Amino acid sequence: MTVSVKICGLSDRAGLDAAVAAGARYVGFVFFAKSPRAVSVETAAALAVEVPPGIAKVALVVDADDATLDEIVARVPLDMLQLHGRETPERVAEIRARHGLPVMKAVGVASEADLPALDSYSAVADQILVDAKPPKGAALPGGNGLAFDWRLIAGRRWSVPWMLAGGLTPENLAEALARTGARQVDVSSGVESAPGIKDAARIGAFVTAARG
């Protein structure tokens, strides 16, 4: 089985082209003002129309209200919404019903105590993103370049497809895949030369590592 790669936090054409050329299966646009990878609706719309068919276009939002989501969905041609905040399972189901798009819910993991939430969200989301829990006081809910103990989810599976995230790089991806059995992976800071600046060579190396 091949491993599908999501390159998240794309903000310009060069990064998008690098992700497409490398063979990414998902591309992500961040709608969260505090992130160095944040894009405007206008920028995301212009980039999304350049994505070839067969590559899923994902909007990452953090506790977005209905008005914000309505605008994003209306103006950006998307295939999926990624919820990266404190959205409850009820809110996830509500967003999924309102917009008619598949929803991926990110769940932060730092210890065994965080694992039951993965079951709760897999009951209402189309996919789950198993991410590293941000440290206390962190400004960003993700994209912090931190990994969690992959042994926590070794051999675990859920009722929906899942994606591994959190501190992944071209250098550690093989180990992450071996320890978790993940078939989908998400990377952002791990393929950057500076915060928010994607590096084409690192993107290529990451996708190559995913192919084994």
Side-chain angles (χ1 to χ4, degrees):
M1 289 177 63
T2 57
V3 175
S4 296
V5 173
K6 176 171 173 279
I7 305 294
C8 198
L10 294 167
S11 57
D12 59 26
R13 185 64 188 270
L16 176 64
D17 287 349
V20 170
R25 293 287 304 278
Y26 301 79
V27 292
F29 307 110
V30 175
F31 297 91
F32 182 57
K34 292 181 181 179
S35 172
R37 304 162 190 95
V39 291
S40 66
V41 173
E42 292 79 12
T43 295
L47 290 172
V49 297
E50 302 297 333
V51 178
I55 300 176
K57 303 174 290 293
V58 184
L60 185 158
V61 297
V62 179
D63 298 315
D65 59 21
D66 286 343
T68 300
L69 287 168
D70 287 348
E71 182 185 12
I72 293 169
V73 171
R75 297 177 60 187
V76 184
L78 293 170
D79 300 295
M80 180 176 287
L81 294 171
Q82 179 178 327
L83 309 181
H84 223 296
R86 297 177 181 272
E87 299 91 356
T88 63
E90 293 76 18
R91 177 62 174 154
V92 173
E94 183 181 279
I95 290 171
R96 187 172 179 267
R98 180 183 180 93
H99 297 289
L101 284 171
V103 170
M104 180 190 302
K105 178 67 179 90
V107 180
V109 171
S111 71
E112 199 135 344
D114 299 312
L115 299 180
L118 292 163
D119 295 312
S120 299
Y121 285 108
S122 66
V124 292
D126 296 277
Q127 295 202 38
I128 50 175
L129 181 80
V130 187
D131 200 358
K133 200 171 192 174
K136 285 186 177 178
L140 303 178
N144 293 298
L146 300 173
F148 64 94
D149 185 350
W150 297 316
R151 291 173 296 184
L152 287 167
I153 61 166
R156 291 179 181 264
R157 298 293 178 267
W158 295 275
S159 58
V160 295
W162 65 282
M163 190 175 284
L164 179 67
L168 297 177
T169 66
E171 294 78 20
N172 70 13
L173 182 57
E175 181 188 355
L177 294 174
R179 287 188 178 274
T180 65
R183 308 314 306 174
Q184 299 193 111
V185 291
D186 181 302
V187 66
S188 187
S189 60
V191 292
E192 292 179 345
S193 56
I197 308 299
K198 293 293 186 279
D199 183 289
R202 287 189 67 76
I203 289 175
F206 189 88
V207 176
T208 297
R211 290 175 176 154

